[in-house]
Each structure stands twice: as structure tokens, then as C-alpha cells.
């Protein structure tokens, strides 16, 4: 008897990460241009790419270009319909939460209509940590990895509860401002405020389960933050470090750049790593070990 192998195309990085975390990486046959973890996915053919050339632009220029494109009703992505047809996926992973994150709406609907097959389409649109877990389980069920998905979620729950137990008895929580973009400023949204709360921080500007929105420096200063997390959506640590250096002075605050793509911006299984990382910052361990990044501290602790 031949084993049935599912052919999976992922239009977003979190989808690719979930598939690999469930042990089905070999079944991925196509990816978005942003899928880069684990590194092996970069060898896969790219089924979607931006319709705008943003290379070399700074954050303000990217924000203006993206805002203008969305205001005109034009899509931010182009789907390679011929390639998608050739890949003949059984399962497609996409989202309809954020127009900036992956193809959604008309461009994907049109591409799906061109396929001779009728693939299962899973929309990963979480706004909370519980919904991220639901997405992991939904992907697992769709690709025949339900047991692995339930086991992964259970392991993550155990790790989250260990952090929650360690921060539940804190006598005070540090005032935190989490920046998902720095020019213009955007606050923390969706699942990130929940991560901050579990890790022991207090971010009054965060919007749990809701969209991240623009804020001002007056908003930030009014909170008198003790800790500022710089986590620009779509960027890794080295880029976040450069952006953190460009921030104006924030009196009384320690500034920590972090890898948003790895731990915060992508709603996949690594969210628990992000919570553990934040806990190290909020409890002062990062300040006591200033010789390395908090990401390195997290790796060393494992």
C-alpha cells in the first residue's frame, strides 16, 4: 500500500513553520517570498511575491507606499497562478487577518478558481494565543498530523504555564511599551499584549486581540515606560537593532530590540519562545547579563 503524501502550499511564514513543527516539512511544495524558517523552506518555489518594490526603503517610506497601495484598493501581492497550478496542492495555508502579511481577498480567490483541483484552504487568522493553538490543530487535522498537533500545543501550554507561575507572584510589573513599528509608531496588537501579560509586563498601550494602531511619542512618554521593546513587523534582530539605535531618547527606559519574525509577528509555534524571552527582560535577567542579546540568553538557557 502506498502512503498518501499531502502536497502543501503555504502563503505565509507561520503556515510553513507550523507544517515543519508537525514533522511534515517534506510535504511543502511551495511558499511565499517571506517564508524563511526553517532555512530549508527557502529552496522551495515561490508562489507569491510583493507587488511593490520595497528594497532600500526606510520604515516611513514603506509605510507610505503600503498605505497608498491599500487606499487605492490595489493588492500588495502577486500570486503566480501558473506555478500554483503546476504544484497541484492538496492543502493551501493562507490568511485574511492582515492585508500586509500575505495574499488575501481577490488575488487568492482568482488563483484558486484557476486550479483544476479543489484544494482544502485553511485560513490562519488568529487574534489570540488560544486561536494560534486552534490554527496549529486545524493544520494538523488537515494534513493528517492531528496527534502531533495536539502534542505540540500541549508542550507549549506547559511552558507557558511555567512562565505564568513564575510571574504570578511579582510584587510589581514593569511598565512596558512594545513597538511593532517605529516610523510611524505602532503599538502591540493581537496576541502580543497577552504574551506581555503572561511574561510579567504591563503595556497600557497594547490592544489585546485587536489590530495594532498608530500611536505618538506623546502616548509613549505619557506611560513613562521602564522597558521599550522594539519589534518591527517583518524584520529580524539585526534590523531591529539598527532601528532601536535611531529612536529618540526615552527617559528612564531600557530599550531592547528583538527578532519580531521569530517570536512575535508570526503566529506560529514559536510564540512560546517569545513569552520566555520577554520574561527574561521583565524580570531583569537581561539587564544582569548585558553581554549578549536576550535571544542568545534564551538559547543558552535551553
Amino acid at each position: 500500500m502506498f502512503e498518501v503524501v499531502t502536497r502543501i502550499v503555504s502563503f505565509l511564514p507561520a503556515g510553513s513553520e507550523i507544517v515543519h513543527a508537525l514533522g511534515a516539512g517534506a510535504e511543502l511544495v511551495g511558499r511565499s517570498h517571506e517564508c524563511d524558517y526553517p532555512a530549508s523552506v527557502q529552496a522551495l518555489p515561490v508562489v507569491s511575491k510583493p507587488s511593490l518594490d520595497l528594497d532600500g526603503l526606510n520604515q516611513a517610506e514603506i509605510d507610505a507606499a503600503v498605505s497608498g497601495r491599500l487606499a487605492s484598493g490595489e493588492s500588495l501581492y502577486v500570486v503566480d497562478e501558473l506555478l500554483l497550478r503546476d504544484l497541484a496542492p492538496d492543502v493551501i495555508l493562507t490568511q485574511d487577518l492582515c492585508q500586509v502579511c500575505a495574499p488575501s481577498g481577490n488575488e487568492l480567490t482568482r488563483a484558486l478558481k484557476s486550479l483544476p483541483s479543489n484544494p482544502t484552504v485553511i485560513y490562519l487568522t488568529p487574534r489570540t494565543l488560544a486561536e494560534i493553538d486552534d490554527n496549529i490543530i486545524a493544520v494538523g487535522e488537515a494534513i493528517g498530523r492531528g496527534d502531533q498537533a495536539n502534542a505540540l500545543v500541549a508542550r507549549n501550554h506547559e511552558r507557558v504555564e511555567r512562565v505564568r507561575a513564575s510571574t504570578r507572584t511579582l510584587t510589581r510589573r514593569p511598565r512596558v511599551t512594545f513597538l511593532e513599528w517605529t516610523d510611524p509608531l505602532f503599538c502591540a496588537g493581537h496576541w502580543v499584549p497577552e504574551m506581555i501579560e503572561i511574561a510579567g509586563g504591563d503595556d497600557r498601550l497594547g490592544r489585546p486581540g485587536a489590530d495594532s494602531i498608530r500611536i505618538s511619542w506623546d502616548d509613549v512618554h505619557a506611560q513613562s515606560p521602564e522597558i521599550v521593546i522594539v519589534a518591527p513587523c517583518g524584520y529580524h534582530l539585526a534590523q531591529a537593532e539598527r532601528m532601536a539605535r535611531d529612536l529618540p531618547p526615552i527617559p528612564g527606559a531600557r530599550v531592547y530590540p528583538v527578532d519580531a519574525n521569530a517570536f512575535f509577528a508570526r503566529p506560529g509555534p514559536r510564540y512560546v519562545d517569545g513569552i520566555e524571552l520577554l520574561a527574561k527582560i521583565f524580570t531583569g535577567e537581561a539587564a544582569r547579563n548585558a553581554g549578549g542579546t536576550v535571544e542568545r540568553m534564551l538559547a543558552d538557557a535551553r
Side-chain angles (χ1 to χ4, degrees):
M1 180 179 295
F2 293 101
E3 180 183 359
V4 176
V5 176
T6 304
R7 297 177 61 81
I8 306 166
V9 166
S10 176
F11 279 98
L12 69 167
S16 295
E17 292 191 21
I18 291 171
V19 169
H20 271 270
L22 299 181
E27 298 176 24
L28 269 174
V29 296
R31 65 174 178 102
S32 79
H33 76 289
E34 290 185 318
C35 295
D36 59 7
Y37 183 87
S40 59
V41 304
Q42 297 179 57
L44 296 174
V46 175
V47 293
S48 65
K49 60 183 180 180
S51 56
L52 292 172
D53 182 5
L54 303 178
D55 287 345
L57 301 185
N58 60 34
Q59 279 192 297
E61 292 167 338
I62 291 172
D63 179 74
V66 168
S67 297
R69 187 83 176 187
L70 293 176
S72 69
E74 297 179 274
S75 172
L76 293 176
Y77 292 91
V78 175
V79 176
D80 189 331
E81 297 181 24
L82 293 178
L83 174 59
L84 189 61
R85 176 188 286 263
D86 289 342
L87 294 175
D90 304 303
V91 174
I92 291 176
L93 306 179
T94 187
Q95 59 90 51
D96 56 10
L97 177 66
C98 174
Q99 296 183 70
V100 181
C101 294
S104 59
N106 293 336
E107 69 274 13
L108 183 57
T109 300
R110 183 177 60 251
L112 292 175
K113 287 181 178 179
S114 72
L115 296 179
S117 59
N118 187 28
T120 298
V121 181
I122 301 178
Y123 290 91
L124 308 180
T125 57
R127 292 181 177 272
T128 66
L129 295 181
E131 290 176 356
I132 295 176
D133 291 338
D134 291 343
N135 283 175
I136 292 172
I137 291 172
V139 172
E141 291 176 347
I143 66 174
R145 304 271 175 154
D147 290 344
Q148 293 90 331
N150 282 294
L152 174 58
V153 168
R155 290 195 300 273
N156 278 353
H157 282 185
E158 290 175 0
R159 291 170 61 188
V160 168
E161 286 308 309
R162 284 198 293 270
V163 175
R164 197 190 298 273
S166 70
T167 62
R168 188 177 288 124
T169 58
L170 290 176
T171 56
R172 66 176 301 276
R173 291 172 172 263
R175 296 184 302 277
V176 177
T177 294
F178 189 105
L179 299 177
E180 293 196 9
W181 200 253
T182 62
D183 188 14
L185 299 178
F186 273 76
C187 68
H190 299 130
W191 51 85
V192 173
E194 190 178 352
M195 297 171 69
I196 294 169
E197 187 276 329
I198 293 169
D202 179 18
D203 186 352
R204 302 293 177 87
L205 295 176
R207 290 165 48 84
D211 292 344
S212 173
I213 61 172
R214 293 192 185 195
I215 58 175
S216 69
W217 279 114
D218 287 341
D219 295 326
V220 173
H221 291 306
Q223 301 303 315
S224 299
E226 300 164 271
I227 294 171
V228 173
I229 306 295
V230 179
C233 184
Y235 290 94
H236 289 291
L237 178 60
Q239 298 153 312
E241 289 174 334
R242 291 195 296 270
M243 294 172 190
R245 288 193 292 269
D246 291 338
L247 292 180
I250 307 170
R254 299 192 304 274
V255 178
Y256 291 95
V258 296
D259 189 330
N261 281 354
F263 305 119
F264 302 103
R266 297 175 177 178
R270 289 193 288 172
Y271 76 76
V272 67
D273 294 329
I275 294 173
E276 293 171 344
L277 186 155
L278 289 176
K280 289 181 177 294
I281 297 174
F282 299 161
T283 59
E285 186 172 345
R288 292 191 297 271
N289 295 273
T293 67
V294 283
E295 278 88 346
R296 172 53 56 194
M297 289 166 47
L298 181 63
D300 291 343
R302 287 262 177 91

